[in-house]
Amino acid sequence: MRIGLLTDGGYPYATGESRLWCDRLVRGLPQHEFDLFALSRSADQEQQGWVRLPDRVGRVRTAPLWTHAEDTRHADRPRGLTGRLATGLGRSYGRRDRRRFTAHMAALVGAVCAGPETGPESDGADAGSAAGLFADGLYGLAELARERGGLHHALRSETTVRIVEASCRAPGTGRTVHGATVPDYLAFVAELERSLRPLSLDWYDEDGLGAVDVCHAASGGAAALPGLLAKRFFGVPLLVTEHGVPLRAHYLAAPEAQPGAPVRALLANFHGLLASEVYRQAALITPGNTHVRRWQERFGADRGKLRTVYPGMEAERFAAVGEGDDEGGPATLVWIGRIEPAKDLIALLHAFAEVLRAEPDARLRIFGAPVQGAEGDTYLAQCRALAAQLFPDEAADAHAVGDNPVTFEEIGGPEVPNLAEAYAAGGVVVLSSVVEGFPISLVEAMFCGRATVSTDVGAVVEVVGGTGLVVPPRNPRALADACVALLRDPERRARLGAAARARALELFTVEQNLAAFRGIYLDLVGHAPPRWTTPPDPGDPAGPPRPFSTPPEAHVLGALPPGRIAAVLPAGAAARSTAGAGVDAAAGSSRVPSWALGAEGVCAGARGAGDGDA
């Protein structure tokens, strides 16, 4: 079958989220064809290019969400077409279209302004009515954009700003939204246009999303929006996979130019309503863990549509360490990850100070690099300064070089050439995060057969199970006590490490992930109603052949000789089946069987035979 893979800021670009998972999915299911529909997030991402695509990838269409519509036309890329944003309605926007646009935009913005402002903590009293208005407005705008060639200029027009102003001042809106000012209106309209830009893409035709059998969105939000329209226009079933929570990321994001409270409230309402509509229309939702699943349920996802599928990871790269006898440094703690405030290395350093008092020979090796940007560099410098303050180099005499028990290292040097060697350097792997989604570093440590100490955030408990120690976040004392307990008990470390590796091999491999999606694709196509790629011919009410419309026994009966049919059916049924199949018994030859002419005759004959036998 043909899968339309929808991504936002990821595959096929060399950087971004879910790119490794998408690449493994495409390469691991060679029986399917994939068409890629990708949204890019920055100029730097596009400059770094694409990963090497396998041959089973057919067409690739891309569209940027970081430029103005006038700048979105790119040169043709290999393997397919780029997305094109229409220039808008312009002067061809007639009176009737203006009324339609105003009505649909008023419905959408009215739902956003009236929606709950507190996101997942709201009581949802107005969720039903707001969701209905939002859906009506969204699909109305989509149909108008498809008919008229795009809505870019209309979404940024003065009409839109006036609609936002009127909706914010309408009775019943929250206090935060009601206090919006003109700069807030303009800022929200700019963000709204960017979020609705996929409506104006030229992907919605018989050569684009209309030609795929299943739309698979690699995340919610903007990536799933084209899938919503593909279902609306062509009836294509939508599959949504979320390894993280876009809504949660939106709530925690701190952009450089922080908008005002009214704009943040409006954007939170918009993304919440969009997520609810995506979950409502999706045929199946595959969260990457229970933590993500709880968020999805809170925003209206039907539990009957939810199926947890853990992201697959390559276990082979860690096999040498996991199956080896080397237990690493018996007194060494290892931390691996991106150095950023969410990882709370400050608490880890304070905890290690307590560990060092109990175990003077202990060492802490921190492997990682700061996240890009000034914030990451500043946080790394802060951690280095704290480590120098808590653990000053102490030399034995004036001619000796002091040794610091804490080191900051990067993977790829002569001592630690690869990631597996970094995990092998210690006997205990530590995770100290205060915010975490799916803890990839913990799964890698489990593949390596290492005991772990981690904080209870995100999906940590679900991943670790009973194979590691879990402590509350922001609690250096509890973190230190757990580390000391494992450092002093090598047998316990070995037991936990072996159990952790067995659990990881059972739940988190690439093979189990591919097997799950192989079955999901077949299940979705098998339960989806038949679709025509072209409208039925009015002169042919039966239309073109439809999948599964002919009972399989019709093929068997039509191919059998009359004597064989009589042997497998009762006498009356055999006679009717033989006549229906057009068999000339006297001549010993058969004319064209009825199953080749259509399913109606066979179905009628089967019903008549059943009635007669009864």
Side-chain angles (χ1 to χ4, degrees):
M1 69 184 70
R2 177 174 291 180
I3 311 298
L5 191 59
L6 313 175
T7 65
D8 178 17
Y11 195 72
Y13 295 102
T15 60
E17 300 178 358
S18 300
R19 58 185 178 85
L20 293 178
W21 169 76
C22 290
D23 190 61
R24 292 166 184 164
L25 180 71
V26 172
R27 296 179 184 277
L29 298 178
Q31 66 272 37
H32 300 310
E33 296 181 2
F34 287 84
D35 290 346
L36 302 183
F37 300 85
L39 303 172
S40 65
R41 283 290 175 179
S42 67
D44 181 67
Q45 184 179 60
E46 292 200 352
Q47 289 174 357
Q48 295 190 32
W50 296 353
V51 299
R52 185 175 181 179
L53 299 177
D55 294 336
R56 64 186 57 94
V57 173
R59 295 164 298 179
V60 180
R61 291 190 176 186
T62 64
L65 294 184
W66 51 273
T67 63
H68 295 295
E70 292 82 356
D71 302 328
T72 56
R73 292 184 176 87
H74 297 274
D76 287 347
R77 300 294 298 272
R79 292 182 179 272
L81 304 172
T82 58
R84 178 182 59 81
L85 284 170
T87 57
L89 299 170
R91 296 178 180 177
S92 63
Y93 198 18
R95 181 179 302 174
R96 179 175 176 273
D97 291 334
R98 285 197 297 270
R99 287 198 300 266
R100 290 175 60 192
F101 174 80
T102 301
H104 297 320
M105 179 57 68
L108 185 143
V109 175
V112 170
C113 293
E117 296 184 6
T118 52
E121 302 301 327
S122 66
D123 57 7
D126 298 330
S129 59
L133 283 174
F134 181 85
D136 292 342
L138 179 67
Y139 295 128
L141 292 174
E143 292 169 359
L144 185 59
R146 190 186 184 199
E147 294 172 9
R148 306 299 294 167
L151 292 176
H152 170 69
H153 293 302
L155 291 174
R156 284 182 172 267
S157 65
E158 182 180 353
T159 300
T160 302
V161 177
R162 292 188 180 277
I163 291 173
V164 172
E165 179 183 12
S167 299
C168 289
R169 294 182 177 182
T173 57
R175 182 180 302 176
T176 304
V177 172
H178 196 76
T181 60
V182 173
D184 296 325
Y185 304 148
L186 296 175
F188 173 67
V189 167
E191 291 297 326
L192 182 64
E193 183 276 326
R194 193 177 302 275
S195 299
L196 295 180
R197 191 171 292 181
L199 301 183
S200 300
L201 292 172
D202 61 349
W203 294 353
Y204 315 110
D205 53 31
E206 300 296 344
D207 295 326
L209 288 172
V212 303
D213 299 304
V214 174
C215 279
H216 188 174
S219 64
L225 186 52
L228 283 180
L229 303 189
K231 180 180 180 182
R232 178 79 174 185
F233 298 144
F234 307 106
V236 180
L238 173 61
L239 169 65
V240 178
T241 296
E242 288 185 320
H243 294 142
V245 186
L247 280 171
R248 174 177 170 274
H250 171 75
Y251 292 140
L252 297 177
E256 297 179 359
Q258 186 67 260
V263 179
R264 294 198 302 272
L266 289 170
L267 290 175
N269 293 348
F270 172 81
H271 289 291
L273 289 168
L274 178 59
S276 297
E277 180 62 17
V278 169
Y279 298 152
R280 187 172 70 90
Q281 295 293 340
L284 192 66
I285 307 167
T286 55
N289 52 73
T290 304
H291 174 64
V292 174
R293 183 182 183 124
R294 286 196 296 266
W295 275 79
Q296 293 172 337
E297 290 180 358
R298 185 63 187 84
F299 278 88
D302 183 359
R303 292 187 178 183
K305 295 181 179 181
L306 293 172
R307 177 178 173 183
T308 301
V309 179
Y310 294 116
M313 300 178 61
E314 295 180 356
E316 293 77 10
R317 60 189 303 196
F318 305 106
V321 177
E323 298 175 358
D325 297 330
D326 185 9
E327 298 182 359
T332 302
L333 304 177
V334 168
W335 182 96
I336 299 176
R338 296 180 301 175
I339 299 178
E340 57 182 337
K343 304 301 182 183
D344 202 8
L345 289 179
I346 300 298
L348 176 61
L349 292 172
H350 284 289
F352 185 70
E354 300 293 333
V355 172
L356 204 60
R357 293 188 183 96
E359 295 290 329
D361 295 332
R363 292 180 59 84
L364 173 62
R365 301 182 69 175
I366 298 175
F367 296 95
V371 295
Q372 295 182 354
E375 183 182 17
D377 295 334
T378 301
Y379 188 72
L380 176 59
Q382 182 182 357
C383 293
R384 288 183 181 274
L386 179 61
Q389 179 182 355
L390 293 175
F391 316 104
D393 294 341
E394 296 184 0
D397 52 58
H399 302 285
V401 177
D403 184 25
N404 195 309
V406 178
T407 58
F408 291 84
E409 308 173 50
E410 292 189 9
I411 299 174
E415 296 185 1
V416 186
N418 54 56
L419 187 60
E421 292 296 329
Y423 286 106
V428 178
V429 176
V430 185
L431 183 142
S432 56
S433 302
V434 294
V435 176
E436 193 76 44
F438 186 83
I440 294 177
S441 61
L442 280 187
V443 178
E444 293 171 343
M446 294 166 69
F447 280 133
C448 292
R450 291 299 185 258
T452 60
V453 176
S454 48
T455 50
D456 186 5
V457 293
V460 165
V461 173
E462 180 183 4
V463 168
V464 174
T467 67
L469 304 186
V470 181
V471 301
R474 295 190 178 95
N475 193 330
R477 171 69 69 176
L479 190 63
D481 291 344
C483 292
V484 170
L486 290 182
L487 290 177
R488 289 178 174 177
D489 193 344
E491 294 183 358
R492 188 183 185 188
R493 288 202 311 269
R495 289 197 307 270
L496 290 176
R501 176 168 170 78
R503 179 177 175 83
L505 290 175
E506 179 184 0
L507 298 178
F508 307 123
T509 60
V510 174
E511 290 74 18
Q512 65 84 22
N513 183 269
L514 293 177
F517 281 108
R518 186 182 296 112
I520 287 172
Y521 287 158
L522 294 176
D523 186 63
L524 288 178
V525 172
H527 287 83
R531 298 186 296 116
W532 287 284
T533 56
T534 57
D537 184 2
D540 182 11
R546 293 176 293 176
F548 312 114
S549 62
T550 303
E553 59 269 18
H555 299 268
V556 177
L557 296 178
L560 292 177
R564 182 60 177 161
I565 296 178
V568 298
L569 289 178
R576 282 187 290 271
S577 298
T578 304
V583 178
D584 189 350
S589 62
S590 62
R591 294 188 292 272
V592 178
S594 63
W595 59 263
L597 301 176
E600 291 75 7
V602 176
C603 294
R607 286 193 295 270
D611 295 339
D613 295 337

